[in-house]
Amino acid sequence: MKKLTPTIEPLYYKDGALFLLDQRELPKEEVWLKIEKLPQLLDAIRGLAVRGAPLLGVAAGYGVLLGLSYCKSAGPGELMEFYSRVREKIAASRPTARNLFATLERMDKIVEECADRAPATVKMRVREEIDQIEREERDSCRAIAEFGLPLFMGFSRAITHCNTGVLATGGIGTALGVIHAAHAFGKLKLVWVDETRPLLQGSRLTAWELGRLGIPYRIICDNMAATLMSRGLVDTAITGADRIAANGDSAN
């Protein structure tokens, strides 16, 4: 499959600070938040400035890094106690986000393994793990796009809900990554975009991403979806979810 690249990087780390694209301001303007302290990141997560399960997993890793930046002690007991407080705050910021907790579980192992080392070493290992998580998310998005592409038989009219693209994942997206691939391979005619009430992630964010990709779309109110399907105007429906079980059961 040809290489597909995200149109924007929704978060990045530079010179000790995390920069987040504030998704609350889209599509009106692109506002970047400079996050230098953990409380700022927690506010951004709670306020939905950053959202999407995979991206929240990455953000949680940076939260640990920001939180540990205030730990100067090399004592194992103090380091573990300090990390426990940081972890608790991050976990409370979005209790329903499984990716966030998956990241924290990976960080638990790192801190336990490095508890007797200098804080600088622990932070270096944390940063390496964040980079690995980001790579895994990008690879996962590409794999989903590759597996999902055969669902589109040619000039399909697709419908999607919420936002599952780069803004939610950091990669090309999950469901929206498949749509990206279908367009790149000439298999997509149009995307019907549910507005996705009450926060309008579809009409604000998915439409914004599709516009950047040059993919034709039309925004519809959520309760139009069944009517479009009944009239034969939808060939493929593809959405993301917080979690999808091996048997196909979906949550949120």
Side-chain angles (χ1 to χ4, degrees):
M1 191 173 78
K2 68 175 71 172
K3 185 176 182 181
L4 305 174
T5 57
T7 57
I8 197 166
E9 192 175 2
L11 62 76
Y12 63 91
Y13 189 77
K14 182 179 180 182
D15 298 330
L18 180 64
F19 293 85
L20 296 176
L21 178 61
D22 191 341
Q23 298 189 29
R24 298 168 299 188
E25 301 298 329
L26 294 173
K28 295 180 294 183
E29 55 183 334
E30 294 180 20
V31 176
W32 289 88
L33 303 176
K34 185 177 182 180
I35 308 292
E36 297 177 288
K37 298 180 180 179
L38 178 58
Q40 293 175 288
L41 178 59
L42 300 179
D43 287 343
I45 293 174
R46 288 190 290 259
L48 298 179
V50 56
R51 45 153 293 282
L55 198 64
L56 284 172
V58 175
Y62 282 114
V64 171
L65 189 64
L66 290 170
L68 290 180
S69 66
Y70 292 96
C71 181
K72 308 300 181 183
S73 171
E78 288 186 71
L79 176 65
M80 290 299 295
E81 184 179 347
F82 194 93
Y83 169 71
S84 294
R85 292 197 298 269
V86 168
R87 187 196 198 284
E88 183 179 0
K89 292 176 182 178
I90 296 172
S93 68
R94 188 65 62 79
T96 59
R98 176 58 198 152
N99 290 63
L100 183 147
F101 286 92
T103 292
L104 291 177
E105 288 161 11
R106 292 170 69 155
M107 296 301 168
D108 291 345
K109 295 179 181 178
I110 289 173
V111 175
E112 288 172 7
E113 292 169 359
C114 301
D116 59 345
R117 302 184 187 180
T121 301
V122 180
K123 284 179 274 189
M124 181 184 70
R125 283 288 292 113
V126 166
R127 179 60 196 275
E128 290 172 351
E129 192 68 13
I130 295 169
D131 291 341
Q132 177 62 25
I133 291 170
E134 289 187 291
R135 284 192 294 270
E136 290 172 7
E137 292 297 351
R138 288 193 293 267
D139 291 345
S140 177
C141 287
R142 284 194 293 269
I144 291 172
E146 188 171 346
F147 279 103
L149 186 59
L151 295 173
F152 293 80
M153 303 308 294
F155 298 106
S156 293
R157 296 160 299 178
I159 191 168
T160 191
H161 191 75
C162 200
N163 173 255
T164 58
V166 61
L167 294 174
T169 66
I172 61 171
T174 52
L176 205 61
V178 181
I179 288 173
H180 184 173
H183 177 258
F185 281 83
K187 292 187 173 186
L188 185 69
K189 180 179 180 180
L190 176 71
V191 181
W192 299 107
V193 180
D194 285 354
E195 59 185 339
T196 316
R197 304 171 193 170
L199 299 176
L200 306 179
Q201 296 101 316
S203 60
R204 290 192 307 107
L205 306 180
T206 294
W208 181 79
E209 288 198 44
L210 292 173
R212 291 175 67 94
L213 290 166
I215 298 176
Y217 68 89
R218 296 289 183 274
I219 297 171
I220 61 171
C221 62
D222 293 343
N223 56 1
M224 282 180 62
T227 300
L228 290 176
M229 292 178 186
S230 68
R231 293 181 179 179
L233 298 175
V234 176
D235 305 303
T236 305
I238 182 164
T239 66
D242 279 1
R243 269 293 174 268
I244 300 173
N247 67 351
D249 289 348
S250 301
N252 193 22

